[in-house]
Amino acid sequence: MDKQDLKLTSSEIGTLWAEYINGTAIEIVNKYMLSIIEDEKIRAVFEDALQTFEKQKKQITTFLENEGFPVPIGFNESDLNKGTKRLFSDIFCLHYLHIMTLHGLLGHIGS
């Protein structure tokens, strides 16, 4: 069997779908946090996290489209209220990103 003839399993499609939904939810939270962070070093960490997920999102989109599946809507800019007052400290934001990174790594282990 040729590599090009291989199709993703339903489990793999489900995992990609869940990764997209979860990732876009976290992306919106990270964008909100980026809009309130004052510390430049912490801001740089969040910018890097957003760039990393953007690459992952493009890859997930490519996988789904190649299989003929629709790309989920997920969360987007309409779910972000940038005018909201500051709710979290910079340190809390950094701690949140650390915890969500650990959850993401654990999710990849189970995939």
Side-chain angles (χ1 to χ4, degrees):
M1 180 178 263
D2 194 8
K3 282 184 183 181
Q4 295 170 344
D5 296 333
L6 295 176
K7 296 290 184 185
L8 295 176
T9 66
S10 59
S11 176
E12 291 167 333
I13 294 292
T15 298
L16 288 171
W17 191 276
E19 286 282 328
Y20 190 93
I21 298 295
N22 292 336
T24 57
I26 294 166
E27 178 184 36
I28 291 303
V29 173
N30 286 349
K31 284 183 178 183
Y32 163 72
M33 289 183 172
L34 185 62
S35 75
I36 63 164
I37 290 173
E38 297 169 349
D39 184 282
E40 291 303 316
K41 290 180 181 178
I42 295 175
R43 174 180 293 280
V45 172
F46 271 80
E47 288 170 347
D48 185 54
L50 286 167
Q51 288 174 357
T52 299
F53 178 68
E54 190 59 38
K55 292 175 192 172
Q56 292 172 340
K57 187 165 63 169
K58 285 179 184 175
Q59 188 63 59
I60 292 169
T61 299
T62 300
F63 285 144
L64 290 171
E65 288 174 343
N66 287 346
E67 291 295 314
F69 280 88
V71 177
I73 294 171
F75 294 85
N76 56 47
E77 294 295 323
S78 67
D79 298 304
L80 178 62
N81 185 355
K82 288 186 180 176
T84 304
K85 66 179 180 174
R86 184 181 175 96
L87 298 173
F88 310 111
S89 69
D90 288 0
I91 297 299
F92 177 87
C93 293
L94 188 59
H95 182 68
Y96 165 85
L97 184 61
H98 174 74
I99 296 299
M100 295 312 290
T101 301
L102 294 175
H103 283 289
L105 291 171
L106 288 172
H108 289 299
I109 291 171
S111 299

